[in-house]
Amino acid sequence: MADPKHKSEREWSEELTPQQYHVLREKGTERPFSGEYDEFFEQGEYVCAGCGQKLFASDAKYSSGCGWPAFTRPSMGDAVAEHRDTTHGMIRTEVTCAKCDGHLGHVFPDGPVDQGGLRYCINSAALEFSGDTTDNKGE
Ligand code: FE
């Protein structure tokens, strides 16, 4: 498969829904409490809506009350990339998909202390849920 990092914005806009495009390619943020995975706690994997890369597992998801899906950690250390983000008058750490560079959300240091203290605050629109509970870690 072609490297998704080389995809043109036109190709992305044809493949993604307008909401997915806005979040993944324009670094948009869905309205809080609006996303389909905010209060969603099935067992399975969350993959990138842009490229299908595994990003987060349901066992790292928790109810933060912030209005977006929250995770304590990515499914693998190299699944996501982190970048300093100084837009909107704040200093935040942006989280992107390491495979396609799509914007996912931000990571904040206010997560559950006993699970590492991080809150990966991720837009539902950047994710697709795969309900298969089979453990495919060997892939
Ligand atoms: Fe991706």
Side-chain angles (χ1 to χ4, degrees):
M1 205 210 294
D3 185 345
K5 288 185 182 180
H6 296 154
K7 224 173 251 188
S8 69
E9 290 310 305
R10 180 181 177 148
E11 288 174 283
W12 282 120
S13 71
E14 287 169 356
E15 289 177 19
L16 300 174
T17 69
Q19 170 81 334
Q20 288 170 337
Y21 184 84
H22 178 59
V23 171
L24 286 164
R25 308 310 310 176
E26 300 180 325
K27 302 188 187 298
T29 300
E30 68 199 14
R31 283 179 301 107
F33 307 103
S34 71
E36 72 175 303
Y37 302 129
D38 177 25
E39 288 298 322
F40 178 92
F41 295 98
E42 302 287 316
Q43 289 292 311
E45 291 269 358
Y46 295 83
V47 304
C48 176
C51 72
Q53 156 124 307
K54 286 184 189 175
L55 297 176
F56 298 97
S58 58
D59 62 2
K61 194 172 190 300
Y62 72 102
S63 181
S64 72
C66 70
W68 294 275
F71 301 89
T72 55
R73 62 186 183 278
S75 57
M76 293 168 291
D78 56 0
V80 302
E82 299 182 6
H83 316 269
R84 181 178 160 93
D85 173 9
T86 57
T87 61
H88 302 288
M90 296 173 270
I91 299 174
R92 296 179 293 174
T93 302
E94 181 195 7
V95 179
T96 58
C97 172
K99 186 171 173 188
C100 74
D101 290 339
H103 172 80
L104 304 174
H106 291 85
V107 58
F108 299 98
D110 59 8
V113 174
D114 61 347
Q115 289 169 70
L118 296 178
R119 172 171 59 98
Y120 286 81
C121 179
I122 305 298
N123 289 280
S124 296
L127 301 174
E128 273 175 13
F129 179 73
S130 166
D132 185 2
T133 56
T134 311
D135 187 350
N136 292 320
K137 280 195 182 115
E139 275 179 29

